[in-house]
Amino acid sequence: MSNEGAGTTFKQREGLYAPYRDGKEGRSLSNAANVTFGPRGSSLAQGPPPGSFSSDMKSIAPSRGGTPRTEQGPFFADYRPASSDKTSEQRQTELREKINKETKIKIGSENLLEALVSKNAKQTKDQRMRVEAELGSSNRKITELRSQLEREVEHSRRPKTPPPERLSGIFQGSPLKSPQRRDGDVQGGVATAEESESPTYLLSEILRALENEGMQPDYYVEKANRLVDLFKKYPSLKHDLAWPVFGLRVQTMLLSESRDVVAAGYRVTRHAIADRRSLQTIRRLNTDEVVVLSLVKDSKANIEREQALKFVRAFLDVKGGVHELSSPVLRTIVSVAEHHEDRLRNMSILTLLELLIRNPTMVIVSGGMASITEALLDGNYQGSESLASTLLFLFDKPHDRRYLQSCHELDAAFTIFTDPIAVHITEEKLKSSARLITAVLNSWPGLFTVANDGFAALRGLLQSLSYPSLLARDLVLDILFAVFQIKAPSWSSSFLAGRRLTTYGRVANLTKTAPVAPSTSTLDETEESRVSLTEHYTAVLLAVLLQSGLHQALSNIMQTELETALQRKAALLQGEVLELTNRLLPYTFSAKFQVVPNLVDPVGFLPAEASLTPISMTYQIDSVSRTLYRSQGDVKEALLSMKRSTQHTSASRSSSDSSKPKVDIDMDELRFRAAIVDTQVLNHVKHLKWNWDLIEDLVEGPLKNPKRLTEAITGTKFLKRLLSFYRPFKYRFSDIPSTKLNQRYVRVGVSLMKTLLQNNEGIAELSESKFLRQLGECLAQLDRTSGLTATAPLFSTWRTAETLTGGYFALLGALSSNPKGLQMIERWHMVNIFYHIIELRDRDDLVELLLGNMDFTLNSHPRVMLSQAATASHKHIRIFATRLLRKYATLDPSLEENSRSPASVCEWAIDLLVTQLYDPEVEVSEVAVQILEESCNRKSHLEYVVQCCPQLDHLNEIGAPLLLRFLSTSLGYQYLDRLDYITQEMDDWFSLRNYRYVTLVEASLTRGFATLMQEPSRASINDSLQPQDSGSLPPHFYRELTRTQEGCDLLRDSGHFNEFVATIADLWSEDVDLESLVKLKGCLWAVGNIGSMELGSTFLEESDIVRVIVKIAEHSQVTTLRGTAFFILGLISRSLHGMEIIAENGWDAATDQRGRSIGYCLPQRLDGFFSLKSPQNPKKHGLRNTPHDWTPRPITDEDPIHERVLNIVMDTGNAVLAKKAATDLNSLKLRYPEAFASVELYRKVRDVLGGRNFRLPVRRFLLDLFEKNVMRRYVLDEEESENESIQTERPSQKPPRVP
């Protein structure tokens, strides 16, 4: 059939909309069945080399927020054009993917450009120009995509309103509309006549149009889509449907011979579902039989099958809808899930997983557990994490655990790695199993699953490191890196490639890339750091793996591995494990594992040649440990270095720290002159031939010596040429493309400004230079009141984004940090221009460049500009200006000794942040609350914030964390007490919020596991304000309350602690329901937070609650409740008194070098901690909630032919008899065709299929035996035909022998 004209078939288009009659050719899918696609998620790219860090292991934590969806195919778009039906989330996802793609192109271009710089400039000129052009294009695209993403995010936050355009506007090309009306709508924008009609009238009009018979399929599809749009726009219509009329239309569409019309019928019916009653009404239309018939069809009916399965999945979205699923439908889905070649297999497995959570009995009775277990063993299912999370959900509670046959179903994921002779194992299967294992190990139920029976599964996994599969060994190491939360250091690739780590530059680079925890960088030495739940979990997981033989396995692979990269990767992991063991585990436990087996002992007893390998491995581990220590440092050194550092300097200064050894500042005259000549500044005019590394060393070294600076100014033209390079009208610095490599010119310029400002000769040279005068003239082009204009301004939008022109603001920021520099800026009237730039509404880029580079430590004009931008600009700039206050509000007071401002920098920043709390936009206030909360980590800052008396009633939940911090001091307690905040908040927490806290903690733990393998992003202002609670304990009211003696007295008078203790004692030993379990966990977290404080630990001894918590941690059959008790004991160990109490109950706490507890504890008997009782077999004790019609029952018929057919149908379920049974059925159909036209026989065959499990091809074969009109008569409840009635009523006689 041709693709042109009105005769275009529906399946030749992607969607259910009728084609616009514009003469364009539709897209043909007629040959889609002949195209062979690879497996989903497959790639033609080669995998990573052995020993490298796998990119697939970056985000492998299980999702606990809900069941994830599988990747949808091209027919899952609800039959709409891709551009018209995308949600805001989908558009945001697409934009983020495009940004990631362009970012990779940008990074690749920068790396290539950096490589070309080291080569001959003449030979690589053309190639460098092409790379720079590509880099500029990527920068423009990234800027545009980010602006689109910001607009999309802003648009998604607006209240949802009905779209202004008419639904029928989608059908502008349809011949059913009048061209005159369409033209009038487009030109005048006036609503059509249909828009003024009521939704009920439009519904009746569409239903009346569906009564027409003999129309083309496109006609019915278009009407169905209009009906769906009507339901989406007016959801209340679902509740007012006249089902006798609407149901008849639905039945007619579902029984259509056109697959497209049937698919549209499923879609209409799905959108008409309102509640469980509507589901019952829909089922009375005999939709179950139609769904079964659609699901068993072949791949040619994929559109119909997908819509049928989506219709079934809609039952899960309705409260109680899962109980409306029938046995035939569910068993058909199970058969689809068992069919490996079926396109809907993944979606069917996902449906079974959701059902397994909501009603495990239905899945077990229908045989769905076999399909789930098979998918787990197969390793080809893309959503392996969802498989794990579902089974772990059942393993958590003893009531649900009994549905699992052996409670070792998840051990199947380890089989691929633990079987040394396994064949036909692909790389994709190994990676899928690796993700599954990581998801299992990152949850309490999973850890209890694999740690049961003496850690057998973990021992087998570690033993697989000695098996021959190179990829399997590499992935096992990746799993260990993931579960230990070890991020690959920046030097890991060099180390794995075989390079040494003794180079100063490579080691020094680590200091810039090593992240410093924000909690330790801003806390007083007397203040404890944040409570990390993920690290506490890592401690127990590390202890389990060490007992399972982790050290021995890593030692073996280091000694016997022939692959250098894998050997070094094991050495890197061994060094990290030793560091974690020393830091996280109690001394009584870690002392057993500080000696690496088979590496140290044999050295003194083996011959020299035999001991080379142990010595080499020991050296590598030591080298890794020393490198990690230099890059990260110890907590004490980090705190001391933070006090010595200048935190308030701009980002450009921190980025200018070079990893190379600096030139001596006291260089003599001869060496200085030789160094100036070596820079090539005096010999060449082109800056590309200058030695910029040496120039940077001279600027940051000898030129800070007044004598050398005077010599450079008077004796040579070095400084004059260097300043001339930065002059705007020279168009040298300002024309350089903005790339990562070219940022060195900005760094040198910033260092030059600061060096010249350090003595009078430099100040005089800078003042007399044309640099500042020309820069002021270029800035004046932005000021509309200056009278200066230019056809191509230097600070145009394009130039600031694509070239280093924006670097001039970094140079001005360096000047603003010095009073003399501010005087120079004021001399050329730049301050007035700055104020006018702040007022620009169309140049946010300039405002951000100006504010982001200014230094606000001096009490001068920059502070006024920042205050103006933070209070008077539009929301985006106000948020940006508020974020700039973070580094000033969190400064150490000891760094402000030399501040010349009358008020300290911190107090000024806090005052401005308190002002921002009253901003009309909630987003601005939220940012201010986050910064103030971080600033309150210091007691002096907290007291000053309290003195400001901020009012946070209008912020509700947003301001609650900040108010909780006020309780930490007596001054804050008195302030909140005067506001009557404490008693109201205490009652609120006791009655409700204490139980909501459980959800917050579990969400934080989930985010911590989900982000532990994400690559650290480049530091920025926005990144510094990201929530740091991923895996950390959120603030708790009772924890903050017990920081002061007044709070402890109030808590004792209220009696809340005794109520918590009584609740824990009453509920923990019972098989509690979900509501009671949440209540129990909430009480546990309240007791743990109270006991974590020194003043609150006295409550523990008075009530003896710790003994009960230890019993919960060691004997509760709910694994997540055990995990909660485990975390609670860690909290209690944070106080000195609490550490003594848990030691008396058989638990040891980890301490630092000073003997202070770090909040992590372990039981003295680790194997007993993971013991669980064996669950009862549900088959022995019966399954509850089993529908009465789901149990298979014998089906007979008085007619001998029908009885014979039924017997043979049951034989088709037997794999041995299936072939002979199929032959017999075909023979019976030829001899007795009237039997396969009987509705009664069809009904009984349907009962057989609904009560037993059959393979999908068998179901398709059995249903295809019947005549097509049988289904129609069955669904519409039509009477038997006259001939069939006569045949049924004929006297019984012995039938002929059927072979």
Side-chain angles (χ1 to χ4, degrees):
M1 183 180 292
S2 174
N3 291 340
E4 300 179 359
T8 307
T9 60
F10 173 78
K11 69 177 182 179
Q12 292 171 328
R13 297 183 305 279
E14 297 179 349
L16 287 181
Y17 281 103
Y20 298 151
R21 309 303 186 187
D22 54 0
K24 293 185 179 180
E25 196 173 54
R27 181 179 179 182
S28 175
L29 296 178
S30 58
N31 296 326
N34 299 327
V35 181
T36 302
F37 296 96
R40 293 185 181 180
S42 62
S43 175
L44 298 178
Q46 296 180 355
S52 63
F53 290 89
S54 173
S55 60
D56 291 342
M57 301 295 295
K58 292 180 181 178
S59 181
I60 42 187
S63 173
R64 296 175 176 85
T67 305
R69 305 272 180 175
T70 54
E71 183 179 355
Q72 298 178 343
F75 295 98
F76 276 70
D78 263 353
Y79 302 98
R80 281 175 167 264
S83 60
S84 62
D85 193 41
K86 290 183 180 177
T87 62
S88 178
E89 290 77 8
Q90 292 174 338
R91 290 192 292 268
Q92 292 179 31
T93 302
E94 290 183 358
L95 289 173
R96 289 189 177 96
E97 290 177 353
K98 292 180 181 178
I99 290 175
N100 292 336
K101 179 180 178 181
E102 293 297 331
T103 303
K104 292 179 180 178
I105 296 176
K106 175 184 175 182
I107 294 175
S109 302
E110 289 177 346
N111 294 337
L112 180 58
L113 196 60
E114 187 173 357
L116 292 176
V117 170
S118 60
K119 298 181 179 180
N120 192 316
K122 292 183 178 180
Q123 296 178 356
T124 60
K125 179 179 179 180
D126 296 338
Q127 189 176 2
R128 188 169 63 251
M129 292 178 63
R130 289 196 299 269
V131 174
E132 290 177 352
E134 182 66 27
L135 183 60
S137 176
S138 298
N139 288 329
R140 287 193 297 272
K141 290 180 181 179
I142 291 174
T143 303
E144 179 63 26
L145 290 172
R146 284 177 176 171
S147 62
Q148 293 180 15
L149 181 60
E150 292 177 359
R151 290 195 297 268
E152 186 61 40
V153 172
E154 180 68 22
H155 177 73
S156 64
R157 293 177 179 175
R158 298 176 184 172
K160 298 296 185 295
T161 56
E165 65 273 6
R166 185 71 185 108
L167 291 173
S168 58
I170 303 174
F171 307 98
Q172 292 179 2
S174 174
L176 303 176
K177 286 200 61 175
S178 171
Q180 291 81 2
R181 175 179 296 180
R182 181 169 64 248
D183 294 339
D185 291 344
V186 174
Q187 295 175 3
V190 184
T192 61
E194 289 186 357
E195 289 182 320
S196 61
E197 298 293 346
S198 66
T200 307
Y201 175 80
L202 295 176
L203 175 63
S204 60
E205 185 183 38
I206 296 175
L207 293 179
R208 191 178 301 110
L210 287 174
E211 294 180 3
N212 299 331
E213 298 182 359
M215 305 297 291
Q216 292 293 328
D218 293 342
Y219 173 84
Y220 300 105
V221 169
E222 182 184 17
K223 297 301 179 184
N225 286 328
R226 291 184 60 190
L227 193 56
V228 170
D229 289 337
L230 196 62
F231 285 146
K232 287 182 178 180
K233 188 173 183 180
Y234 304 102
S236 59
L237 281 178
K238 303 176 184 179
H239 302 276
D240 302 328
L241 287 175
W243 279 100
V245 178
F246 182 79
L248 183 60
R249 304 295 177 269
V250 168
Q251 285 182 324
T252 304
M253 295 184 69
L254 294 179
L255 294 173
S256 173
E257 295 182 0
S258 171
R259 296 165 181 162
D260 305 326
V261 176
V262 177
Y266 283 125
R267 184 166 176 254
V268 169
T269 311
R270 173 163 55 91
H271 284 87
I273 297 174
D275 49 22
R276 186 174 179 180
R277 181 176 298 179
S278 64
L279 285 178
Q280 295 170 350
T281 304
I282 291 173
R283 287 194 61 199
R284 284 195 291 269
L285 300 175
N286 294 323
T287 54
D288 290 348
E289 284 67 30
V290 185
V291 169
V292 170
L293 184 63
S294 296
L295 289 177
V296 301
K297 291 184 178 179
D298 55 15
S299 58
K300 296 180 181 179
N302 270 335
I303 300 177
E304 177 184 342
R305 299 178 70 235
E306 289 173 356
Q307 286 298 317
L309 188 53
K310 292 179 74 174
F311 168 69
V312 175
R313 288 179 57 82
F315 283 49
L316 307 180
D317 298 331
V318 179
K319 183 178 180 180
V322 64
H323 301 291
E324 297 300 327
L325 286 174
S326 64
S327 177
V329 172
L330 189 52
R331 289 184 186 271
T332 305
I333 294 176
V334 171
S335 66
V336 175
E338 293 174 346
H339 197 57
H340 291 269
E341 292 78 15
D342 199 287
R343 186 171 174 269
L344 297 182
R345 178 175 182 256
N346 288 344
M347 193 175 179
S348 299
I349 293 175
L350 182 60
T351 305
L352 293 177
L353 292 176
E354 295 184 16
L355 283 171
L356 189 61
I357 292 177
R358 303 190 183 198
N359 195 330
T361 303
M362 296 175 62
V363 179
I364 292 176
V365 171
S366 62
M369 283 299 298
S371 303
I372 295 175
T373 306
E374 185 181 2
L376 192 65
L377 287 167
D378 185 30
N380 287 328
Y381 181 64
Q382 297 297 322
S384 56
E385 294 88 346
S386 62
L387 278 173
S389 60
T390 304
L391 295 178
L392 293 176
F393 175 82
L394 294 180
F395 187 83
D396 182 26
K397 303 179 185 63
H399 171 71
D400 297 332
R401 200 177 302 147
R402 65 194 184 97
Y403 292 111
L404 301 176
Q405 295 180 0
S406 63
C407 292
H408 292 283
E409 283 79 4
L410 288 172
D411 291 352
F414 295 79
T415 305
I416 296 181
F417 291 96
T418 57
D419 188 0
I421 58 174
V423 294
H424 304 300
I425 296 180
T426 62
E427 179 181 354
E428 189 62 31
K429 285 185 178 182
L430 285 172
K431 290 183 177 180
S432 178
S433 297
R435 292 193 298 268
L436 180 59
I437 293 174
T438 309
V440 169
L441 294 180
N442 280 335
S443 66
W444 281 113
L447 185 57
F448 275 92
T449 301
V450 300
N452 209 356
D453 296 337
F455 316 126
L458 293 177
R459 294 181 190 275
L461 180 67
L462 294 177
Q463 289 175 2
S464 66
L465 289 173
S466 60
Y467 293 163
S469 176
L470 183 63
L471 179 60
R473 298 199 304 272
D474 185 48
L475 286 175
V476 171
L477 292 180
D478 279 341
I479 292 173
L480 296 175
F481 272 100
V483 298
F484 290 149
Q485 307 182 44
I486 301 174
K487 295 182 175 65
S490 59
W491 44 268
S492 60
S493 58
S494 300
F495 176 70
L496 297 180
R499 299 185 184 128
R500 299 175 62 187
L501 294 178
T502 55
T503 315
Y504 286 105
R506 195 172 292 123
V507 173
N509 281 335
L510 304 175
T511 307
K512 297 190 293 183
T513 59
V516 180
S519 56
T520 58
S521 65
T522 57
L523 290 179
D524 290 331
E525 292 184 358
T526 59
E527 181 70 79
E528 69 252 9
S529 59
R530 289 178 184 260
V531 182
S532 176
L533 300 179
T534 53
E535 281 200 348
H536 195 185
Y537 183 85
T538 303
V540 66
L541 181 59
L542 176 63
V544 169
L545 286 169
L546 287 174
Q547 284 215 9
S548 302
L550 175 62
H551 268 328
Q552 183 67 46
L554 293 179
S555 300
N556 292 339
I557 197 174
M558 283 190 292
Q559 292 187 30
T560 61
E561 180 59 51
L562 300 178
E563 183 67 33
T564 304
L566 208 58
Q567 188 184 56
R568 284 176 165 255
K569 191 171 185 177
L572 177 61
L573 180 59
Q574 186 75 279
E576 294 276 7
V577 167
L578 290 174
E579 192 272 335
L580 289 176
T581 303
N582 183 55
R583 182 169 62 90
L584 300 180
L585 299 185
Y587 175 76
T588 56
F589 196 93
S590 62
K592 306 174 185 178
F593 299 99
Q594 287 299 327
V595 178
V596 181
N598 300 333
L599 287 184
V600 178
D601 296 342
V603 173
F605 304 98
L606 295 178
E609 296 181 358
S611 62
L612 288 179
T613 300
I615 292 176
S616 175
M617 292 299 100
T618 305
Y619 171 75
Q620 286 193 13
I621 295 175
D622 179 67
S623 177
V624 169
S625 300
R626 285 187 287 106
T627 306
L628 289 173
Y629 179 79
R630 292 179 184 180
S631 61
Q632 297 174 357
D634 148 284
V635 175
K636 176 182 176 181
E637 293 296 329
L639 289 172
L640 294 176
S641 63
M642 291 302 294
K643 287 190 174 183
R644 293 191 297 264
S645 65
T646 54
Q647 297 180 5
H648 54 278
T649 55
S650 61
S652 58
R653 177 174 180 177
S654 62
S655 63
S656 64
D657 296 336
S658 175
S659 60
K660 306 177 296 298
K662 302 296 181 181
V663 178
D664 187 10
I665 191 174
D666 296 326
M667 182 184 296
D668 57 38
E669 182 178 355
L670 293 178
R671 291 173 54 199
F672 179 68
R673 287 182 175 273
I676 288 181
V677 173
D678 291 340
T679 61
Q680 303 298 320
V681 174
L682 303 178
N683 300 331
H684 300 281
V685 178
K686 293 184 178 180
H687 67 279
L688 293 176
K689 297 184 178 181
W690 295 354
N691 188 346
W692 284 96
D693 293 334
L694 181 57
I695 293 174
E696 186 175 5
D697 290 342
L698 290 176
V699 170
E700 295 182 353
L703 288 180
K704 291 183 179 180
N705 188 333
K707 186 175 181 180
R708 300 281 85 83
L709 179 62
T710 303
E711 182 180 349
I713 294 174
T714 59
T716 66
K717 294 184 179 181
F718 174 76
L719 277 180
K720 293 184 181 298
R721 290 196 175 183
L722 198 56
L723 284 174
S724 176
F725 167 74
Y726 289 98
R727 281 163 56 181
F729 291 160
K730 290 287 187 178
Y731 291 102
R732 299 169 68 186
F733 171 78
S734 58
D735 278 355
I736 299 177
S738 178
T739 62
K740 179 181 178 181
L741 178 63
N742 291 340
Q743 292 300 317
R744 60 179 179 176
Y745 303 123
V746 181
R747 293 196 302 268
V748 174
V750 171
S751 300
L752 180 62
M753 296 296 110
K754 293 181 178 180
T755 299
L756 293 177
L757 289 174
Q758 290 183 2
N759 54 72
N760 295 330
E761 289 80 1
I763 294 174
E765 178 68 18
L766 190 58
S767 301
E768 296 173 0
S769 173
K770 297 180 181 180
F771 166 70
L772 290 178
R773 179 170 61 83
Q774 293 184 5
L775 184 58
E777 184 176 347
C778 293
L779 289 172
Q781 298 172 1
L782 303 172
D783 187 1
R784 297 184 178 92
T785 63
S786 65
L788 295 178
T789 59
T791 55
L794 182 70
F795 291 96
S796 63
T797 305
W798 180 85
R799 292 186 67 89
T800 53
E802 301 298 330
T803 66
L804 293 183
T805 302
Y808 282 118
F809 289 99
L811 274 62
L812 292 173
L815 295 175
S816 66
S817 62
N818 189 286
K820 296 293 184 180
L822 283 174
Q823 291 179 6
M824 295 182 192
I825 293 176
E826 294 176 0
R827 176 188 175 188
W828 298 107
H829 308 287
M830 294 187 199
V831 174
N832 295 335
I833 301 175
F834 291 164
Y835 280 111
H836 293 156
I837 291 177
I838 296 296
E839 296 173 356
L840 295 177
R841 290 291 185 260
D842 56 344
R843 292 301 305 273
D844 289 352
D845 56 330
L846 283 180
V847 179
E848 292 181 359
L849 282 172
L850 175 61
L851 296 178
N853 288 282
M854 286 291 112
D855 190 286
F856 303 102
T857 54
L858 299 178
N859 188 14
S860 185
H861 289 284
R863 288 191 181 184
V864 181
M865 289 187 293
L866 182 62
S867 178
Q868 177 183 344
T871 55
S873 298
H874 52 277
K875 185 179 72 173
H876 174 71
I877 296 299
R878 296 204 305 273
I879 293 176
F880 179 83
T882 306
R883 286 172 171 165
L884 289 175
L885 294 170
R886 177 183 176 272
K887 60 182 177 182
Y888 301 100
T890 57
L891 279 178
D892 190 340
S894 62
L895 299 175
E896 303 175 28
E897 299 174 355
N898 299 325
S899 178
R900 301 184 181 183
S901 57
S904 68
V905 178
C906 292
E907 293 179 358
W908 162 77
I910 291 174
D911 286 335
L912 189 52
L913 285 171
V914 171
T915 304
Q916 295 302 95
L917 294 175
Y918 311 108
D919 193 276
E921 295 291 343
V922 180
E923 291 87 347
V924 181
S925 303
E926 186 175 4
V927 173
V929 168
Q930 293 176 5
I931 299 174
L932 286 174
E933 185 183 0
E934 185 178 352
S935 177
C936 289
N937 287 333
R938 297 191 179 277
K939 187 176 181 180
S940 58
H941 295 175
L942 174 59
E943 293 179 349
Y944 185 77
V945 174
V946 174
Q947 292 176 8
C948 295
C949 300
Q951 301 294 329
L952 302 176
D953 296 341
H954 63 290
L955 296 179
N956 298 325
E957 295 292 334
I958 297 177
L962 183 58
L963 291 176
L964 287 181
R965 300 305 300 268
F966 289 0
L967 292 173
S968 303
T969 62
S970 298
L971 182 63
Y973 180 91
Q974 296 170 6
Y975 168 69
L976 295 178
D977 190 34
R978 291 194 301 268
L979 297 178
D980 197 22
Y981 167 82
I982 299 178
T983 55
Q984 294 180 9
E985 193 72 6
M986 177 179 284
D987 295 338
D988 190 17
W989 273 82
F990 181 76
S991 60
L992 182 62
R993 295 179 63 179
N994 195 38
Y995 311 120
R996 292 181 179 174
Y997 184 80
V998 177
T999 305
L1000 291 178
V1001 173
E1002 294 179 354
S1004 175
L1005 191 61
T1006 302
R1007 288 194 300 268
F1009 287 130
T1011 59
L1012 57 89
M1013 287 304 294
Q1014 290 183 357
E1015 293 292 337
S1017 57
R1018 192 174 299 176
S1020 65
I1021 296 175
N1022 297 339
D1023 296 337
S1024 63
L1025 288 175
Q1026 293 300 321
Q1028 302 294 335
D1029 59 348
S1030 295
S1032 301
L1033 191 67
H1036 197 284
F1037 173 79
Y1038 290 102
R1039 175 185 173 90
E1040 303 299 328
L1041 185 66
T1042 51
R1043 289 180 183 271
T1044 59
Q1045 187 61 46
E1046 298 91 337
C1048 291
D1049 295 338
L1050 179 63
L1051 179 61
R1052 183 173 283 104
D1053 296 338
S1054 66
H1056 288 183
F1057 186 83
N1058 296 330
E1059 292 287 341
F1060 296 145
V1061 171
T1063 302
I1064 294 172
D1066 293 341
L1067 295 180
W1068 84 268
S1069 59
E1070 303 176 5
D1071 187 9
V1072 295
D1073 56 4
L1074 181 59
E1075 183 178 355
S1076 300
L1077 184 62
V1078 173
K1079 185 177 182 180
L1080 177 58
K1081 289 181 179 179
C1083 294
L1084 284 172
W1085 283 114
V1087 170
N1089 279 281
I1090 292 172
S1092 64
M1093 297 288 101
E1094 290 293 343
L1095 294 177
S1097 59
T1098 57
F1099 289 90
L1100 302 176
E1101 190 172 11
E1102 296 172 359
S1103 60
D1104 197 25
I1105 187 61
V1106 177
R1107 180 177 55 83
V1108 180
I1109 298 176
V1110 170
K1111 285 185 178 180
I1112 296 175
E1114 295 179 350
H1115 301 292
S1116 176
Q1117 295 304 304
V1118 182
T1119 59
T1120 53
L1121 185 58
R1122 275 199 188 187
T1124 301
F1126 177 81
F1127 289 136
I1128 298 306
L1129 292 174
L1131 278 176
I1132 293 174
S1133 69
R1134 297 181 72 84
S1135 62
L1136 180 61
H1137 194 54
M1139 186 168 56
E1140 296 174 354
I1141 295 176
I1142 68 168
E1144 296 174 357
N1145 289 272
W1147 285 62
D1148 294 332
T1151 57
D1152 58 10
Q1153 296 178 354
R1154 299 182 181 181
R1156 298 178 302 181
S1157 174
I1158 59 176
Y1160 308 143
C1161 63
L1162 289 176
Q1164 295 174 357
R1165 290 186 64 256
L1166 195 61
D1167 52 349
F1169 176 72
F1170 291 100
S1171 61
L1172 289 174
K1173 295 180 181 179
S1174 300
Q1176 297 177 348
N1177 192 336
K1179 295 183 179 180
K1180 295 181 180 180
H1181 300 274
L1183 292 172
R1184 294 185 295 176
N1185 301 327
T1186 305
H1188 65 278
D1189 58 341
W1190 282 51
T1191 305
R1193 59 184 184 274
I1195 299 174
T1196 59
D1197 196 294
E1198 296 179 358
D1199 191 313
I1201 301 299
H1202 292 184
E1203 181 70 18
R1204 175 63 173 162
V1205 170
L1206 293 175
N1207 291 333
I1208 299 177
V1209 166
M1210 285 186 283
D1211 289 342
T1212 56
N1214 189 326
V1216 178
L1217 303 176
K1219 186 174 181 180
K1220 181 178 182 302
T1223 304
D1224 293 344
L1225 286 175
N1226 285 325
S1227 177
L1228 284 176
K1229 183 176 181 181
L1230 291 175
R1231 299 177 62 180
Y1232 306 101
E1234 66 278 0
F1236 294 91
S1238 171
V1239 176
E1240 183 63 27
L1241 179 60
Y1242 175 82
R1243 181 180 290 108
K1244 293 184 178 182
V1245 171
R1246 175 256 191 195
D1247 292 340
V1248 173
L1249 295 178
R1252 294 167 177 80
N1253 289 337
F1254 293 86
R1255 294 185 298 111
L1256 184 63
V1258 174
R1259 290 179 178 272
R1260 183 183 304 129
F1261 167 75
L1262 293 176
L1263 293 179
D1264 288 345
L1265 289 173
F1266 290 89
E1267 300 294 337
K1268 294 183 179 180
N1269 63 345
V1270 174
M1271 171 62 72
R1272 183 179 186 87
R1273 299 204 311 271
Y1274 179 79
V1275 172
L1276 298 179
D1277 295 328
E1278 294 180 353
E1279 298 294 334
E1280 299 279 357
S1281 63
E1282 183 179 356
N1283 294 336
E1284 184 176 347
S1285 299
I1286 295 175
Q1287 178 68 20
T1288 305
E1289 295 172 1
R1290 61 189 173 95
S1292 178
Q1293 59 181 358
K1294 185 177 180 180
R1297 181 175 178 177
V1298 179

